[in-house]
Amino acid sequence: MNKLMKFFIICGITLFVGMGLCFGGIMTNGVSGINKVAEKYDWLEGTPGELQTSYGEDLEFDSIRVTGEMDICLIGADYNAMPASWTLPRQVSEAIKAHAPEEGMVFLCYGENINPPQYKVTNGVLEINSNIYDGGVVSMNLSYDDGIPKVVVFCGNRDLDEIDVNLTACDVAVLGVSCGQVNLKTTDGDVYTQSIRSRGLNVETGYGDCRIHGDLEGLTKIKSSDGDINVETSRDESSYAKNIHVTDGILAINDMEMDDDSFASYVREGGPNKMEIDSMLGDVSIWFGISSF
């Protein structure tokens, strides 16, 4: 087959596919048509639609449990501490400022065509769950928005007993919160903490970066499959027994690289606290005795 024939065959295939897509768009009446079709078939996911906001207030809780699909942000006394990388949609930011958030408030932001996050308080535990779609396996989301709901919880100055977050492909941020045990897990997303106080911290990420900053007491355990890890703690290095492994990446302690090899291991005695870090792919940076807390 000569080059000219191959060229005409490729052009014909491209033209056929393009015409098919155009015809499908006309038949479904664009994005609105896709959503109408998605209502008829359980296996099809539509688009998120226009953003909706809602909030609840005066919630009494001493622990938080989060599961499902949502970007979650737990905030202490000052919501202005929110990192720039965790920008809220304009509707949420305006709603937060309008309501002068106080301790025990929950703000929700989600697309009108998806299931809104659900929350309730049971025996002192604030339970938040989000299942975006009802089992759709084929996504037809053609909008700029990924459809992931955003949830913000204002914890105020209360000292929580436990935070347990288990997310699917979403980000989690914990800012200025004091808590006993903190468990943060996401299969594909970033984990960010700023100025937290924990008496036990367990972080597990599949794909995503992890930045931990705060007063870390007890056992601090971090496991990552693919992503960089940065830890900044106000406590001295001597106050931790350390067991740190980096399979493929650079390990640095207080800005000093520990090993030039592709596999770095750092095991040291200390106490009474413990720090265990296991990184498969990504750089690990740890700072002890930070003053800006």
Side-chain angles (χ1 to χ4, degrees):
M1 184 182 296
N2 58 40
K3 294 183 178 179
L4 183 61
M5 181 64 69
K6 289 182 178 179
F7 172 78
F8 283 120
I9 291 176
I10 293 174
C11 290
I13 294 174
T14 303
L15 179 62
F16 178 81
V17 172
M19 291 179 63
L21 291 175
C22 291
F23 179 78
I26 294 172
M27 292 298 294
T28 59
N29 194 24
V31 172
S32 61
I34 290 174
N35 289 329
K36 292 180 180 178
V37 174
E39 293 176 357
K40 299 180 180 179
Y41 301 100
D42 295 337
W43 51 268
L44 184 64
E45 294 179 359
T47 61
E50 295 294 326
L51 289 178
Q52 308 293 309
T53 62
S54 62
Y55 71 96
E57 55 187 341
D58 298 329
L59 300 176
E60 294 292 336
F61 55 87
D62 49 38
S63 294
I64 300 175
R65 183 179 301 123
V66 182
T67 56
E69 303 163 286
M70 75 193 87
D71 291 337
I72 182 78
C73 187
L74 311 178
I75 305 181
D78 184 7
Y79 76 89
N80 291 319
M82 185 173 295
S85 60
W86 217 89
T87 303
L88 290 174
R90 176 180 55 82
Q91 293 93 326
V92 180
S93 299
E94 292 178 352
I96 289 175
K97 293 179 180 179
H99 292 91
E102 298 178 354
E103 182 175 308
M105 296 188 71
V106 176
F107 279 85
L108 310 175
C109 178
Y110 51 92
E112 63 179 346
N113 297 326
I114 66 176
N115 298 325
Q118 303 294 317
Y119 64 91
K120 63 180 180 179
V121 178
T122 305
N123 297 326
V125 179
L126 173 59
E127 300 176 344
I128 308 173
N129 176 264
S130 176
N131 182 18
I132 301 178
Y133 296 103
D134 293 321
V137 294
V138 178
S139 176
M140 295 295 290
N141 183 6
L142 304 179
S143 70
Y144 67 90
D145 188 4
D146 59 8
I148 300 297
K150 292 184 180 292
V151 178
V152 182
V153 180
F154 291 90
C155 305
N157 292 316
R158 69 182 72 186
D159 188 3
L160 298 175
D161 293 335
E162 183 177 10
I163 295 173
D164 191 358
V165 177
N166 192 339
L167 301 178
T168 302
C170 301
D171 299 332
V172 54
V174 183
L175 314 171
V177 176
S178 178
C179 185
Q181 179 64 36
V182 180
N183 303 312
L184 309 175
K185 181 179 180 180
T186 178
T187 58
D188 186 356
D190 297 333
V191 175
Y192 181 99
T193 76
Q194 179 72 33
S195 300
I196 68 168
R197 298 182 185 273
S198 68
R199 295 181 290 280
L201 175 66
N202 186 9
V203 177
E204 186 174 347
T205 66
Y207 300 92
D209 296 332
C210 178
R211 184 182 186 277
I212 305 299
H213 174 280
D215 181 16
L216 309 178
E217 186 181 354
L219 172 61
T220 297
K221 187 175 183 179
I222 304 173
K223 183 177 182 180
S224 173
S225 299
D226 188 350
D228 295 335
I229 298 174
N230 179 274
V231 179
E232 299 177 358
T233 174
S234 60
R235 296 175 181 257
D236 295 333
E237 182 178 355
S238 60
S239 68
Y240 292 94
K242 296 164 286 294
N243 192 341
I244 303 168
H245 297 276
V246 181
T247 301
D248 190 355
I250 298 174
L251 171 62
I253 307 293
N254 288 341
D255 208 25
M256 180 180 296
E257 294 186 13
M258 295 292 102
D259 200 330
D260 293 332
D261 297 332
S262 60
F263 180 88
S265 180
Y266 188 74
V267 180
R268 296 291 188 276
E269 295 183 354
N273 307 298
K274 295 181 180 181
M275 182 175 293
E276 300 178 1
I277 297 178
D278 186 3
S279 172
M280 294 293 293
L281 179 61
D283 297 336
V284 176
S285 176
I286 306 173
W287 292 83
F288 294 98
I290 60 171
S291 58
S292 57
F293 178 74

